[in-house]
Amino acid sequence: MNTIQLSDSELVSLYIAGNENAFELLVKRHKNKVFTTILLIVKDTYTAEDLLQDTFIKAIHTMKSGRYNEEGKFSSWICRIAHNLAIDFFRKEKRNPTIEMEDGSNVFNTLAFAEESIESLQIKEDTHKRLRELIQQLPEAQKEVLIMRHYADMSFQEIAETTGVSINTALGRMRYALINLRKKMTNPSIDYDKNLYSQ
Amino acid sequence: MIKTSTHNDLIQYIYDELALGEKQLFEQTLAQNHELAEHCAELLILQEKLNTELKVPSEKTINSILTYSKNLSLQQ
């Protein structure tokens, strides 16, 4: 059977039935999105690596014990576990960890970059770093919706329920998050309005 | 001037959350409203930039997760 073409739902079923290769594929499919979700919240690579392990370990136990709910997408489910663990960690710490990004060596792990020059890799990494910094500058409510929707793959309805706001408010926050990011990217000199739709 | 409800539809459209009928209606609106279409294009470009921004965890972490799962299976 060619597991590479199977859906997440089919892979979960295979894994529950004992197929470890199915789980490996699930991990490889979703690891970057889950890791980015965590990293944007905790802002520390080492902590994010630890929480990534905790996330998948929690998922393993849920699936293996037959408590996995088939409703909804696997990607939303795993990212929600990651998001909750990252938020819990952040609350426990009660501190703002310093942004500590690695030197870019990890980008060599991605096939897409394998044949690029060192210079273009550096430019790419600089751009990504700047984008991460701009995301961090968004008002908390906007940043939260952006991470939940774009990286954690939650629907706007799920975000509204999780954050206790109406779906229109969640949509509005997302819209302003994107507009503010775009403004910042095109006009770095513009003073950022921290009060803009932050409530 | 674009209505707030239309902006909300736009956000749901770029994140593929509109029902099929709503999606078709919105695409008709896009075809007639250049300002909205331009805004939509800008947001799609930004969305793409955000997609390329994913970070990669270490191989060591991934291997630890896979080993944990295999060991648990052996115990069961």
Side-chain angles (χ1 to χ4, degrees):
Chain A
M1 189 191 315
N2 186 356
T3 50
I4 288 179
Q5 292 170 355
L6 294 174
S7 70
D8 287 350
S9 177
E10 288 164 325
L11 289 172
V12 169
S13 299
L14 281 172
Y15 176 56
I16 290 168
N19 185 330
E20 289 295 320
N21 290 337
F23 179 66
E24 185 170 346
L25 196 56
L26 276 171
V27 171
K28 290 191 170 164
R29 227 177 241 186
H30 298 286
K31 66 184 172 67
N32 295 356
K33 214 158 195 180
V34 176
F35 184 61
T36 305
T37 298
I38 297 166
L39 190 58
L40 283 167
I41 295 167
V42 300
K43 305 184 200 108
D44 176 79
T45 308
Y46 298 106
T47 306
E49 298 264 3
D50 286 346
L51 289 173
L52 181 73
Q53 283 194 64
D54 293 347
T55 299
F56 276 103
I57 284 168
K58 200 167 181 174
I60 288 165
H61 283 284
T62 303
M63 290 188 284
K64 292 272 190 192
S65 63
R67 289 178 291 121
Y68 176 69
N69 185 347
E70 278 292 337
E71 287 171 33
K73 291 188 295 183
F74 175 83
S75 61
S76 301
W77 176 68
I78 193 81
C79 282
R80 201 167 322 129
I81 294 173
H83 182 267
N84 290 343
L85 285 175
I87 294 290
D88 285 351
F89 170 85
F90 204 69
R91 283 180 186 147
K92 273 181 207 157
E93 287 295 297
K94 283 190 178 158
R95 63 178 173 83
N96 276 333
T98 52
I99 296 175
E100 206 259 305
M101 294 298 173
E102 62 266 46
D103 58 5
S105 57
N106 270 347
V107 294
F108 289 100
N109 295 341
T110 57
L111 288 173
F113 296 164
E115 293 179 7
E116 293 184 80
S117 69
I118 300 292
E119 190 185 7
S120 76
L121 279 172
Q122 190 55 56
I123 291 167
K124 232 176 198 145
E125 183 57 21
D126 289 348
T127 308
H128 291 175
K129 190 175 176 184
R130 187 163 163 261
L131 191 51
R132 281 194 299 275
E133 284 166 358
L134 295 181
I135 290 169
Q136 296 301 344
Q137 288 174 24
L138 290 171
E140 208 52 47
Q142 290 175 25
K143 186 171 81 172
E144 182 179 49
V145 173
L146 179 82
I147 294 170
M148 283 177 161
R149 184 61 194 86
H150 197 90
Y151 296 104
D153 224 10
M154 290 166 72
S155 70
F156 286 112
Q157 187 58 53
E158 287 172 320
I159 293 166
E161 286 164 12
T162 305
T163 58
V165 297
S166 72
I167 190 166
N168 282 341
T169 300
L171 286 163
R173 285 175 179 177
M174 185 70 186
R175 181 174 157 244
Y176 278 101
L178 294 173
I179 287 170
N180 286 334
L181 266 183
R182 215 184 95 249
K183 272 184 188 167
K184 269 299 206 185
M185 286 161 86
T186 52
N187 298 297
S189 60
I190 286 182
D191 279 339
Y192 185 77
D193 181 2
K194 283 206 176 295
N195 299 315
L196 184 60
Y197 218 102
S198 60
Q199 296 309 306
Chain B
M1 189 68 188
I2 301 167
K3 287 188 295 184
T4 303
S5 59
T6 311
H7 276 304
N8 287 349
D9 286 347
L10 171 59
I11 297 297
Q12 287 187 292
Y13 176 74
I14 67 167
Y15 278 97
D16 201 21
E17 282 197 22
L18 287 178
L20 188 62
E22 292 172 324
K23 192 175 172 178
Q24 286 168 341
L25 272 175
F26 187 77
E27 281 170 348
Q28 285 171 16
T29 309
L30 273 180
Q32 293 157 3
N33 187 328
H34 292 296
E35 189 191 349
L36 186 66
E38 198 174 319
H39 190 37
C40 180
E42 285 166 347
L43 292 186
L44 285 168
I45 291 165
L46 178 62
Q47 194 185 40
E48 190 53 39
K49 277 189 176 143
L50 288 168
N51 282 339
T52 60
E53 134 74 1
L54 294 178
K55 295 294 292 178
V56 183
S58 69
E59 282 300 312
K60 189 180 161 202
T61 300
I62 298 308
N63 289 335
S64 299
I65 292 164
L66 298 176
T67 303
Y68 182 91
S69 175
K70 282 171 188 160
N71 289 342
L72 193 71
S73 291
L74 291 171
Q75 288 167 24
Q76 287 178 336

